[in-house]
Amino acid sequence: MATKLGLNVLDKGSLSAARELEDFPLKLFPEWRLPLSIAVGPTAAFFFYLFIRNVIYAYVEEKTEISYRIMVSLANKVFPIVALIMLSLCYLPGAIAAFFQLYRGTKYRCFPNWLDCWMLCRKQMGLVALGYAFLHPIYTFIIPIRYAFRHKFISEVVDEIKNNNITPFYFDNTKAWGADSFLSLGILGFFLFILLGLTSLPSVGGSLSWREFSFIQSKLGHLTLFICTAHGYIYSWNKFLLPSNYKWYTPPGYMLCLIVPSVVLVLKLLLLLPCVDRTLTRIRQGWERSQPKEEMVEIKATNL
Ligand code: HEM
């Protein structure tokens, strides 16, 4: 009847969903609640962890008061760390879902509820991560104009002159390569991150075909994660083995934040293995692995 009246029909479920649909405009950011709560947890955890490792440690062990670092240095650690973890959390459920499908040998069985919720909030989680990542270059670019930085920089020069060093600054080629590579990976990763964020917007995503959209979100997404993780690895490559970095026997934040992205990338690599990829593609095209007898009996019994 609605179609005959010239109205567009949209199936939003049974009549019992009507109350929920009516309440929908009155809800405050319902889709953002889970991603924001996921973001708040690691932000608070990393903030306190880094505060203890940096500020409290310096106060207790070195008798120096560096609480001013909370404003820029600490923020510039917490934001990229959480951004990287959240970016990887956008791709972890996809990998888990693929392993579920491989294990079950079919795409026709529902995922657990928690995985469904997680997959549904990936877009919002990615956008929150992009917001965090956006703050990182801004904080980074103001580093040279900070009083503390200029003071340290000038003191070092004056010390070198006082020590009568003829060649005050030894140029380390390896360090130059490391710094340039890590910065350019950061810039590239950031650019791709923005591209991902833009294509997830309905107005931009709507203008792309399904194939283009899934290419950008999946292939380019994993590439972004890889580049951002490489940025983190190159930043910490020469710090892994330095005992002085393990203050009070705790690892630095930039090492901890590499765990989840590395796990996601390894899982993705496993899924890309030709034998695994072939089976997964077949399952996603509708093929089903014949089930073991016991399971079949169980399913039949449930159906009955
Ligand atoms: C314009 C792009 C970027 C530039 C110029 C840049 C630059 C930097 C710099 C200079 C540091 C060292 C900060 C310090 O010593 O305190 C750093 C650290 C870091 N960056 Fe980036 N970055 C960029 C993008 C990104 C992106 C997109 C991510 C990932 C989402 C990221 C993740 C990290 C992480 C995890 C650290 C280690 C934080 C720590 O000190 O504990 N960066 N970056």
Side-chain angles (χ1 to χ4, degrees):
M1 200 169 85
T3 323
K4 276 184 188 163
L5 286 170
L7 300 169
N8 283 334
V9 181
L10 184 64
D11 188 357
K12 284 271 189 183
S14 63
L15 199 61
S16 58
R19 191 183 289 270
E20 204 179 313
L21 283 175
E22 273 177 22
D23 284 347
F24 205 75
L26 304 174
K27 284 186 182 165
L28 193 64
F29 302 121
E31 289 162 346
W32 291 83
R33 265 189 214 151
L34 184 60
L36 285 174
S37 14
I38 292 173
V40 168
T43 309
F46 271 103
F47 177 80
F48 285 114
Y49 182 73
L50 295 173
F51 177 72
I52 293 169
R53 277 194 91 250
N54 291 273
V55 181
I56 306 279
Y57 178 88
Y59 191 73
V60 174
E61 300 285 335
E62 292 153 11
K63 306 282 176 269
T64 43
E65 215 280 305
I66 51 164
S67 56
Y68 69 89
R69 288 204 187 162
I70 293 173
M71 295 309 286
V72 176
S73 300
L74 226 63
N76 198 24
K77 285 178 192 297
V78 174
F79 291 135
I81 284 176
V82 178
L84 189 57
I85 293 178
M86 287 197 68
L87 178 66
S88 48
L89 287 182
C90 293
Y91 293 98
L92 186 57
I96 297 176
F99 279 103
F100 260 111
Q101 288 179 330
L102 280 172
Y103 174 70
R104 291 167 167 177
T106 176
K107 69 167 186 177
Y108 295 109
R109 275 173 71 188
C110 295
F111 293 125
N113 218 6
W114 56 268
L115 188 58
D116 252 349
C117 293
W118 191 355
M119 293 222 273
L120 285 174
C121 72
R122 280 180 297 179
K123 178 179 141 185
Q124 285 79 5
M125 208 146 73
L127 287 173
V128 174
L130 176 60
Y132 272 75
F134 214 93
L135 291 171
H136 171 50
I138 300 175
Y139 273 113
T140 299
F141 292 140
I142 58 136
I143 289 176
I145 57 167
R146 288 172 66 209
Y147 167 75
F149 177 85
R150 282 183 290 150
H151 187 275
K152 193 177 166 214
F153 185 69
I154 292 166
S155 315
E156 270 175 16
V157 177
V158 171
D159 281 352
E160 292 277 317
I161 294 166
K162 272 188 189 163
N163 291 340
N164 243 348
N165 280 347
I166 302 159
T167 49
F169 290 111
Y170 163 70
F171 189 84
D172 187 340
N173 233 324
T174 321
K175 266 190 187 172
W177 260 100
D180 280 9
S181 319
F182 129 82
L183 285 173
S184 67
L185 282 172
I187 293 168
L188 253 170
F190 186 54
F191 169 75
L192 292 177
F193 211 149
I194 292 178
L195 206 70
L196 280 179
L198 284 178
T199 49
S200 74
L201 298 175
S203 52
V204 183
S207 65
L208 301 171
S209 71
W210 168 245
R211 191 125 192 251
E212 290 162 348
F213 182 78
S214 73
F215 173 81
I216 291 177
Q217 291 300 326
S218 171
K219 303 278 186 300
L220 226 60
H222 282 99
L223 182 68
T224 310
L225 182 61
F226 174 76
I227 291 177
C228 290
T229 311
H231 170 71
Y233 267 108
I234 296 183
Y235 174 65
S236 48
W237 71 280
N238 57 355
K239 302 182 175 80
F240 276 113
L241 297 174
L242 270 180
S244 59
N245 280 327
Y246 296 87
K247 295 170 184 169
W248 283 333
Y249 304 105
T250 54
Y254 50 80
M255 284 185 197
L256 290 179
C257 77
L258 293 173
I259 298 173
V260 190
S262 308
V263 168
V264 176
L265 289 171
V266 169
L267 291 180
K268 182 67 192 167
L269 216 68
L270 289 177
L271 291 170
L272 284 179
L273 291 176
C275 51
V276 182
D277 185 48
R278 212 176 310 126
T279 318
L280 193 62
T281 311
R282 284 178 72 197
I283 289 173
R284 287 184 175 162
Q285 282 167 352
W287 173 81
E288 283 186 279
R289 192 173 51 223
S290 55
Q291 289 159 330
K293 267 186 186 166
E294 272 177 34
E295 213 174 305
M296 284 292 281
V297 172
E298 203 181 299
I299 290 172
K300 270 184 191 162
T302 334
N303 287 348
L304 280 172

